[in-house]
């Protein structure tokens, strides 16, 4: 495989992207997989955590809400889960009941296995898109499931965005690309909690960004609002066969590559930490859909059933299966 290794300044990283037809395998222990997501990516990462607990050791949820809060309805997604205007807002006990029902039906594994999870939850105090009550309900849900290792950050005056130490819009902003400068290393805080024992982040990157075809993992990606192409960051040590970890990072609505270019991948702060700590970072991608049969104009992840997939929040959900298949490939 042809590789590109470049030294970079850490602000607004610009890495050449290497195209490959297939996602490659690395020396990764699948049971140490961690995940993070922003907004719709947080809702999806939360669904993955419950549906794929056998491989997920930790999850970071930024501006997300509790399991199946939408009950498969767009109106509930917008006015109940994000803005608590109807039906009492997001309810941890109600989500727990739905999760237990899914467990009884064999749609998700036993919730008892989540107790050793490491969970990081972030909500900006100025986030008016997914209001802090959603993240509070999410924290309460994990508490009810017996999870002990929860770190909750709810005091930063941030908008609806990923916080960074020195890149992006003003901290209070909720505008594209939904990355804000709050003088806080959000990616570092996330990985410190989920992985721990981090070495200092790289001052210059040795790794590379590889694009790969997602059609291998979803036969017709567009049919489930996934893009033809996904991305993975591979530290040089991982490319050379050293033991590595895997982190899956899920963008939010309006944050796919088609919307904001590579900014979510290069500018959210994960790459310098991943590079020095032997962490492969997978960045799956959605695509906007505008047709009546599948209306997803903002390229969100499916957390309210827009794809028509009744199992969207379970181990049998089409997007969940696709992401799990990517993880299986990387870690085998």
């Amino acid at each position: 495989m042809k590789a590109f290794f470049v030294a970079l300044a850490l602000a607004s990283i610009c890495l050449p992207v290497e195209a490959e037809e297939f996602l490659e395998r690395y020396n990764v222990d699948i049971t140490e997989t961690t995940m993070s997501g922003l907004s719709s990516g947080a809702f999806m990462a939360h669904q993955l955590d419950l549906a794929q607990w056998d491989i997920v050791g930790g999850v970071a949820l930024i501006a997300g809400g509790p399991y199946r809060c939408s009950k498969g309805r767009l109106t509930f997604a917008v006015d109940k889960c994000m803005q608590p205007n109807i039906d009492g807002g997001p309810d941890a006990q109600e989500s727990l009941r739905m999760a237990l029902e899914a467990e009884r039906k064999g749609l998700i594994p036993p919730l008892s296995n989540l107790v050793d999870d490491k969970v990081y939850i972030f909500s900006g105090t100025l986030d008016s898109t997914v209001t802090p009550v959603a993240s509070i309900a999410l924290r309460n849900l994990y508490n009810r499931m017996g999870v002990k290792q929860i770190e909750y950050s709810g005091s930063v005056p941030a908008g609806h965005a990923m916080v960074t130490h020195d890149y992006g819009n003003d901290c209070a902003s909720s505008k594209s690309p939904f990355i804000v400068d709050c003088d806080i290393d959000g990616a570092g805080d996330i990985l410190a909690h989920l992985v721990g024992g981090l070495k200092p982040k790289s001052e210059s990157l040795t790794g590379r960004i590889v694009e790969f075809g997602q059609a291998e993992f979803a036969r017709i990606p567009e049919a489930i609002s996934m893009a033809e192409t996904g991305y993975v960051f591979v530290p040089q040590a991982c490319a050379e066969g050293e033991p590595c970890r895997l982190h899956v990072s899920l963008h939010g609505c309006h944050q796919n590559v088609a919307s904001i270019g590579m900014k979510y991948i290069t500018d959210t702060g994960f790459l310098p930490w991943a590079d020095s700590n032997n962490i492969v970072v997978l960045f799956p991608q959605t695509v906007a859909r505008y047709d009546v049969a599948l209306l997803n104009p903002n390229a969100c992840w499916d957390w309210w059933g827009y794809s028509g997939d009744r199992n969207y929040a379970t181990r049998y959900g089409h997007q969940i299966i696709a992401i799990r298949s990517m993880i299986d490939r990387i870690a085998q």
Side-chain angles (χ1 to χ4, degrees), residues 134-155:
S135 292
I136 292 171
L138 184 58
R139 178 187 62 183
N140 292 341
L141 173 59
Y142 276 105
N143 280 327
R144 283 170 166 77
M145 292 190 296
V147 178
K148 304 299 183 185
Q149 299 180 78
I150 303 174
E151 181 173 335
Y152 180 80
S153 177
S155 61

Side-chain angles (χ1 to χ4, degrees), residues 8-14 164 166-168 201-203 266-268 272:
L8 301 163
L10 294 184
S12 193
I13 293 168
C14 232
T164 75
D166 54 11
Y167 180 83
K201 62 184 179 181
S202 291
E203 294 297 328
T266 60
D267 300 331
T268 48

